[in-house]
Amino acid sequence: MRILLSNDDGIEAAGLRALEEAAAPFGEVFVVAPSTEQSAKSHSFTMHEPLRVNSHGPNRWSVTGTPADAVYLALHGILPQRPDIVISGINRGSNLGTDVLYSGTVAAAREAASNDVPAIAVSLHIPEGAEVLHWATAQLAVAQLLRRYPDRPLPLGEVLNINVPNVPASEVKGWRVAPLARRRYAVMVREERDPRGRRYYWIGGPHDRFDGEPDADGPLCMAGFVTVTPMSLDTTAHASLGAAGSIGLEDRCFTT
Ligand code: MN
């Protein structure tokens, strides 16, 4: 099995090293990751400046761009052959619920999925103030997935989003397949002045709460389960197509 790894925390990240260790027993591992931290860059694509690729030893490269850039270049330029699977992570911090809209970790997997390569995103949920990071627990989750993968290949065009609680493996309560929660953050806009007196801003507040189902990924991961959410590329609100039709716009002439 050819396994391509990427992330959004950058080529030097501890979570990427942990993922490389976890994947190594299952096949030939390639790493193509951003050269610097790209968390919360989502699926952005660099089209107006050049990208450079640097070698970091056998089968390891960094790209001076985003996670989506890295996976795109890996699939269409760097790797000698198509990988059988792409895994993105292990992210330093969870990507639960609506985090997936901002996440570069998930976007790297989504870029693979949109190229019809099976794709998994893996994140370690790190509560504020955590002193020990249990990468080994996330490594075990990756190993359990890859052990099953050849018998149960993932659907093309979908991403499996996985979040692992930051506890020793013996304390994990189990696996749960769960829908995405609605994650709420406190609003933070901090205004400062630079040394020349001009205003600048820091945005993005801390986690507040999860809304919606109690059996969605956020509450379950915080309760100690490894959560798995299959995600599709199609973000159409299919349930609302009928309601949108019932507005009656289709019956109207556009020009009058
Ligand atoms: Mn990250």
Side-chain angles (χ1 to χ4, degrees):
M1 183 153 62
R2 276 184 303 278
I3 307 167
L4 169 63
L5 308 181
S6 193
N7 74 349
D8 76 359
D9 293 336
I11 188 88
E12 306 287 356
L16 181 59
R17 290 292 189 180
L19 182 57
E20 290 177 63
E21 277 179 29
F26 295 93
E28 193 177 9
V29 172
F30 300 86
V31 175
V32 182
S35 52
T36 58
E37 159 119 35
Q38 300 287 312
S39 293
K41 290 286 177 78
S42 190
H43 209 133
S44 73
F45 212 45
T46 305
M47 297 176 71
H48 303 290
E49 52 188 274
L51 294 168
R52 295 191 192 280
V53 176
N54 292 301
S55 171
H56 294 253
N59 291 353
R60 297 185 95 244
W61 297 269
S62 68
V63 173
T64 59
T66 65
D69 294 332
V71 169
Y72 184 93
L73 268 178
L75 297 181
H76 304 298
I78 300 173
L79 297 198
Q81 284 171 293
R82 259 173 101 76
D84 298 301
I85 191 166
V86 173
I87 310 176
S88 177
I90 300 166
N91 190 56
R92 193 182 199 288
S94 53
N95 281 302
L96 290 162
T98 27
D99 290 343
V100 302
L101 301 177
Y102 299 95
S103 169
T105 305
V106 172
R110 196 192 296 122
E111 181 60 26
S114 66
N115 283 275
D116 290 327
V117 179
I120 302 174
V122 185
S123 304
L124 183 64
H125 174 65
I126 302 174
E128 218 159 311
E131 287 178 3
V132 180
L133 301 187
H134 292 279
W135 295 116
T137 305
Q139 287 179 307
L140 197 59
V142 169
Q144 290 181 17
L145 268 165
L146 287 178
R147 209 169 291 138
R148 280 165 177 264
Y149 175 69
D151 304 329
R152 301 180 196 195
L154 301 165
L156 292 183
E158 290 185 10
V159 172
L160 220 47
N161 186 43
I162 294 178
N163 282 278
V164 179
N166 188 46
V167 295
S170 59
E171 292 175 24
V172 172
K173 291 184 181 160
W175 290 83
R176 282 283 185 279
V177 176
L180 296 175
R182 181 89 187 263
R183 191 169 194 172
R184 304 284 189 178
Y185 287 90
V187 173
M188 185 199 86
V189 179
R190 183 172 296 169
E191 185 181 296
E192 308 275 1
R193 297 255 180 184
D194 72 15
R196 294 185 178 85
R198 290 175 305 187
R199 289 186 188 90
Y200 67 92
Y201 299 89
W202 286 107
I203 62 169
H207 169 78
D208 184 17
R209 66 184 191 277
F210 289 105
D211 286 346
E213 307 292 311
D215 57 356
D217 64 344
L220 283 173
C221 185
M222 288 178 96
F225 292 94
V226 176
T227 59
V228 183
T229 306
M231 295 170 46
S232 56
L233 298 174
D234 177 7
T235 55
T236 307
H238 285 278
S240 295
L241 278 175
S246 71
I247 296 171
L249 293 172
E250 285 176 10
D251 299 334
R252 298 180 81 103
C253 178
F254 188 78
T255 52
T256 51

